[in-house]
Amino acid sequence: MTLHYSTESTLLPTNAPDLLDWAAAHIENRGFYDGRDGGLFGKGGTTTRLLVPSMVGAFNVAAGDGRRSSTRTYDYPALYSAERLALDVLSDYLAGGAMPHDPHFEDENHRRFTLQDWGRRERRTRDEAAAAFRHAARLAERAQSAAARPGRPSRPPQPITASGLLQWAAAHLEDVTMRPGGLTHDPEDYADTAPCTLLHAVDRAQRIAKPIPADQPLRFRAFHQARDKALQELSNRLAGQEVTAGPDVPAYEVDRRRREIILTWGNEPGRTEGEAVAALRAAALADEAEEAEEKQEPGESLLF
């Protein structure tokens, strides 16, 4: 059932095509802001849904920014799943194929930048922006069918731990198979179903595990700790040593170095899927052993 557009609506899309169609209608009704001064939204208005939207602005409002109601109960896993697929499909389409890797930024942030960058290049018009969302919506319909293909193994939720993230990434590589190279996955295909690189599998695990909604500080703290530990365990194992950036170097530089190591190792000539899966699972087991040694008291079960 297609979701009808209204800026006053508190109904949110639970599938990617509806989200993208809603974003297109938002631009058609409120106009388009190309974001050339670096902002995500245009000026004028009191809430995000009333502002003149940019590419990211329209996407965010369609996904629920400024439209959630305290009187409704939302299916957040379904909402976030729709948002993930919509972002994958739209960013791939605007990039002209599969997204290229940027080892300095996580996949989700890089994809959002691609949306915004497309909008402010070549003085895009309202009609061009809306048409891009509409076309991506049709591609998303195909992507949904591919993601639900018969026989595709299900991966149940696991605790939000470094080990859980690494095990999910290993299962994802076994599901979709691995491809080396500079692209996140095979061109003209989608992240949920296409062969992908080792780094992209790790990024996918992080996106799946991200807590919903974003106002749960305890869950977010657990998520970020698990994310950082997963990168640390895997990059240290692949490098054969502790990965550091030296004294007085900001933490994000260490993070970038770790991502570069994972990407480079996975793209070495002759690297096989079996080796990548084994490396992920070995890092996961190492994290489990460290957790056991620390003998931390069990806390809340945090699942993704």
Side-chain angles (χ1 to χ4, degrees):
M1 180 179 178
T2 302
L3 194 68
H4 295 291
Y5 170 81
S6 169
T7 54
E8 305 302 320
S9 174
T10 57
L11 290 173
L12 304 183
T14 55
N15 65 76
D18 275 353
L19 190 156
L20 293 164
D21 278 328
W22 201 100
H26 192 51
I27 287 175
E28 290 165 346
N29 280 268
R30 298 211 60 82
F32 177 62
Y33 171 61
D34 62 19
R36 283 176 176 265
D37 66 0
L40 299 182
F41 300 90
K43 297 179 179 179
T46 56
T47 67
T48 54
R49 64 183 172 83
L50 299 179
L51 299 177
V52 177
S54 64
M55 293 297 290
V56 172
F59 186 90
N60 288 349
V61 175
D65 191 5
R67 297 199 300 119
R68 292 188 178 95
S69 170
S70 60
T71 63
R72 286 189 179 276
T73 300
Y74 294 106
D75 182 352
Y76 282 104
L79 295 176
Y80 197 52
S81 177
E83 183 179 351
R84 282 197 306 268
L85 181 56
L87 181 60
D88 289 338
V89 174
L90 180 60
S91 58
D92 283 346
Y93 171 60
L94 298 182
M99 285 282 298
H101 269 297
D102 187 334
H104 290 178
F105 298 99
E106 293 178 15
D107 182 57
E108 181 174 1
N109 295 336
H110 187 36
R111 288 178 183 275
R112 288 179 179 275
F113 174 82
T114 296
L115 266 60
Q116 195 68 5
D117 186 58
W118 182 91
R120 62 188 171 210
R121 280 190 283 117
E122 302 178 16
R123 298 198 177 277
R124 307 289 185 185
T125 67
R126 179 188 68 178
D127 290 344
E128 288 175 323
F133 276 105
R134 296 284 188 199
H135 186 76
R138 306 291 75 79
L139 296 176
E141 291 173 352
R142 289 167 38 197
Q144 282 188 160
S145 298
R149 66 176 183 255
R152 189 170 188 229
S154 60
R155 294 187 296 280
Q158 300 181 41
I160 299 181
T161 62
S163 175
L165 293 177
L166 294 166
Q167 291 285 10
W168 194 99
H172 184 65
L173 278 185
E174 289 180 321
D175 177 13
V176 302
T177 71
M178 175 176 153
R179 71 174 303 276
L183 300 179
T184 54
H185 52 269
D186 278 347
E188 299 181 4
D189 214 329
Y190 305 102
D192 278 344
T193 57
C196 70
T197 66
L198 174 59
L199 178 59
H200 191 231
V202 174
D203 278 342
R204 294 297 298 173
Q206 293 174 13
R207 288 188 65 193
I208 290 292
K210 188 176 179 180
I212 312 162
D215 58 355
Q216 302 180 45
L218 291 179
R219 291 176 64 86
F220 253 81
R221 189 178 306 129
F223 164 70
H224 283 294
Q225 289 174 347
R227 172 203 168 278
D228 293 344
K229 189 69 179 300
L231 287 178
Q232 177 184 345
E233 289 285 357
L234 182 58
S235 60
N236 287 352
R237 176 166 295 275
L238 300 183
Q241 61 184 14
E242 182 74 22
V243 178
T244 63
D248 302 322
V249 175
Y252 67 82
E253 289 293 348
V254 181
D255 192 67
R256 291 176 177 181
R257 177 60 179 151
R258 287 171 176 158
R259 290 175 59 80
E260 287 172 351
I261 288 171
I262 295 170
L263 178 61
T264 301
W265 186 91
N267 288 342
E268 287 180 0
R271 183 69 64 204
T272 67
E273 175 189 322
E275 290 173 326
V277 170
L280 287 164
R281 293 212 161 112
L285 290 174
D287 176 69
E288 290 176 0
E290 288 183 18
E291 291 290 331
E293 289 179 3
E294 293 173 0
K295 297 181 179 179
Q296 293 180 341
E297 294 184 4
E300 177 189 4
S301 179
L302 303 178
L303 302 180
F304 71 88

